Amino acid sequence: MDSINSRIANELGVRPQQVAAAVALLDEGSTVPFIARYRKEVTGSLDDTQLRNLEERLRYLRELDERRASIIASIEEQGKLTPELAREINLADTKTRLEDLYLPYKQKRRTKGQIALEAGLGELADALFADPSLTPETEAERFIDAEKGFADTKAVLEGAKYILMERFAEDADLLAKLRDFLKHNATLSARVVPGKENEGAKFSDYFEHDEILKNTPSHRALAIFRGRNEGILSIALKVGDEAPGSMHPGETMIGERFGIDNRGRAADKWLGEVVRWTWKVKLYTHLETDLLGELRDKAEDEAISVFARNLHDLLLAAPAGPRATLALDPGLRTGCKVAVVDATGKLLDTATVYPHAPRNDWDGTLAILARLCAKHGVDLIAIGNGTASRETDKLAGELIKKVPGLKLTKIMVSEAGASVYSASELAAKEFPDLDVSLRGAVSIARRLQDPLAELVKIEPKAIGVGQYQHDVSQLKLARSLDAVVEDCVNAVGVDVNTASAALL
């Protein structure tokens, strides 16, 4: 635990004692806002951003330690844990490195290499690897055994090849080197699946798309992954010269790692094939899956953090304050919904007016609105930014001219998520007798008065200020957005006399 604390302290640039104090509070069930606001003296004034990062890293490093313990137990059970391996496992600082080290000891289905080992071909593989001057076909003859499934020299040499391939492909240092090489040099290549050109027209930008993997921005990566999930695009990682007959940089690195190069000795050609197959069959697909998974995770994290920033800005938009407000929720055929709330957000009056096509009752609407404004001493007009909002804005402009004595001000308000709120259980409790469409207008009025108090009633995802929100991990997204709401409410505080139940 101390090592986790000191590692987090290093990453955040704070003292280990601050981290230890924060971890103890989190473990007791304290929330980040509570610690940030009321336990400053204990944590040495860590702010909510530092605490959120600390909480995230703590979760990751604890999961890493749990996995480390179970891997050590598993290898120990097999009787294969050496002091060197134990040291490597204890030094592993990412989940990827841990899994690479565990790969040779993982319980797998019986592979071709294992079957060959059971048939005693390990000796042949070791001999050819150690001394490439031996002739593979001659050496293989004494291992022919039809009963074990190796009826001729071709089958025997294939078995020996799989033994070496599996050994090479499970070398943790080689994996780390190749992964790093691909990460910095690979190209992400997207192609349209033949025959899907019309169906997938919205992905046409990616039908012939190549870009450097490490430079791919999150929004493009998520678009490409969505295209693949919908069966429109195929994705691959490419590197180096892909021309037939040319040696792939990955093969060169495997050869260097195990001292294999073609000097014209009897077994060199066979060993060269082992290297080529190790890359093509074993390592390339494995690493491609890993790196695409990593790209996806990174893109998801970026998309979630953009969503979180946008939500933060929206929640902390400047409130208009306690002023009587008339809200217009624009609509054409179904009319504009009108709601009037007093300075504390209490609903006073509602109406439905039809200023736009097909009814075009412009003057009648102006008369109704002027009457409502005068009756309730309205100060502000909030206009939802949905369908027909421009026409409705023009209507509000004429209303202001019509009743100059009231000194009205009109403001356009985002209505994102208002329909979700109006059909929610919370809205039904607040306004049991009010029509669903009128509840949306009430929400628009209150959003202008106090965005935070009103928007916390809506599930953050429904506010719709993010990209690809349905493509990312819903658990991670919910965790991040809930944290934003918590931090915003914590930063501003609430007026207990007017706060909604959701806000409290």
Side-chain angles (χ1 to χ4, degrees), residues 11 27 68 129-130 166 169 190 216 253 286 307 343 394 409 434 453:
E11 289 173 8
D27 286 344
R68 196 191 316 273
F129 178 53
E166 284 171 24
T216 307
M253 287 162 87
H286 168 69
F307 199 155
K394 189 175 158 212
T409 309
L434 197 60

Side-chain angles (χ1 to χ4, degrees), residues 218-219 222 300-317 385 413-418 420 447 451 455-456 458-470 472 477 480-482 484-485 488:
S218 72
H219 62 93
L222 288 171
E300 275 196 3
D301 289 346
E302 178 57 28
I304 288 171
S305 100
V306 167
F307 199 155
R309 283 200 301 275
N310 292 347
L311 178 65
H312 179 273
D313 295 345
L314 188 65
L315 291 176
L316 292 185
N385 66 349
V413 176
S414 161
E415 58 177 56
V420 173
R447 277 172 192 216
L455 291 169
V456 290
I458 303 164
E459 190 191 357
K461 268 192 315 195
I463 296 173
V465 287
Q467 289 180 310
Y468 297 97
Q469 62 198 56
H470 303 294
V472 303
L477 180 64
S480 166
L481 298 185
D482 289 346
V484 170
V485 176
C488 288

Side-chain angles (χ1 to χ4, degrees), residues 412-426:
M412 196 69 84
V413 176
S414 161
E415 58 177 56
S419 55
V420 173
Y421 161 74
S422 54
S424 70
E425 202 180 321
L426 199 63

Side-chain angles (χ1 to χ4, degrees), residues 143-394:
F143 292 94
I144 292 172
D145 185 339
E147 277 182 24
K148 289 181 180 169
F150 297 95
D152 53 24
T153 55
K154 186 167 178 271
V156 169
L157 286 170
E158 182 126 325
K161 190 183 288 177
Y162 270 99
I163 291 171
L164 288 181
M165 280 164 62
E166 284 171 24
R167 190 184 301 165
F168 294 173
E170 289 173 350
D171 183 280
D173 292 336
L174 173 67
L175 279 168
K177 197 175 168 193
L178 283 168
R179 188 180 279 113
D180 192 56
F181 173 76
L182 286 176
K183 203 181 276 187
H184 290 96
N185 299 285
T187 297
L188 177 67
S189 179
R191 295 289 179 268
V192 63
V193 172
K196 294 278 187 179
E197 290 82 357
N198 292 339
E199 187 190 327
K202 64 180 176 187
F203 294 105
S204 58
D205 287 355
Y206 304 106
F207 283 0
E208 281 274 333
H209 183 79
D210 294 294
E211 75 177 303
I212 305 292
L213 175 72
K214 65 174 184 199
N215 298 342
T216 307
S218 72
H219 62 93
R220 272 211 292 277
L222 288 171
I224 291 169
F225 283 120
R226 182 184 283 183
R228 182 176 69 172
N229 292 345
E230 291 183 17
I232 308 297
L233 302 174
S234 63
I235 313 179
L237 288 188
K238 297 192 172 150
V239 70
D241 183 7
E242 302 271 333
S246 63
M247 194 166 179
H248 193 282
E251 293 171 32
T252 312
M253 287 162 87
I254 297 167
E256 281 169 3
R257 171 85 179 115
F258 296 104
I260 295 172
D261 71 13
N262 192 352
R263 290 193 250 145
R265 294 164 299 186
D268 278 347
K269 184 165 178 281
W270 180 81
L271 285 166
E273 264 180 44
V274 172
V275 167
R276 192 159 57 254
W277 280 33
T278 302
W279 171 250
K280 285 201 164 121
V281 178
K282 291 280 178 195
L283 288 176
Y284 171 65
T285 321
H286 168 69
L287 291 169
E288 182 181 56
T289 308
D290 271 8
L291 288 170
L292 288 175
E294 212 174 279
L295 174 68
R296 189 187 174 92
D297 287 346
K298 216 170 89 196
E300 275 196 3
D301 289 346
E302 178 57 28
I304 288 171
S305 100
V306 167
F307 199 155
R309 283 200 301 275
N310 292 347
L311 178 65
H312 179 273
D313 295 345
L314 188 65
L315 291 176
L316 292 185
R323 297 160 73 183
T325 303
L326 177 140
L328 292 166
D329 185 356
L332 293 167
R333 192 179 49 77
T334 53
C336 292
K337 306 293 182 278
V338 184
V340 183
V341 300
D342 72 6
T344 65
K346 180 169 165 258
L347 180 63
L348 301 174
D349 219 328
T350 60
T352 304
V353 291
Y354 299 88
H356 311 309
R359 293 209 203 168
N360 296 318
D361 181 17
W362 192 263
D363 295 335
T365 296
L366 283 171
I368 293 169
L369 296 179
R371 197 167 62 245
L372 284 171
C373 288
K375 180 181 172 187
H376 299 295
V378 169
D379 246 356
L380 301 170
I381 301 172
I383 304 153
N385 66 349
T387 315
S389 60
R390 273 206 303 277
E391 298 87 331
T392 309
D393 186 50
K394 189 175 158 212

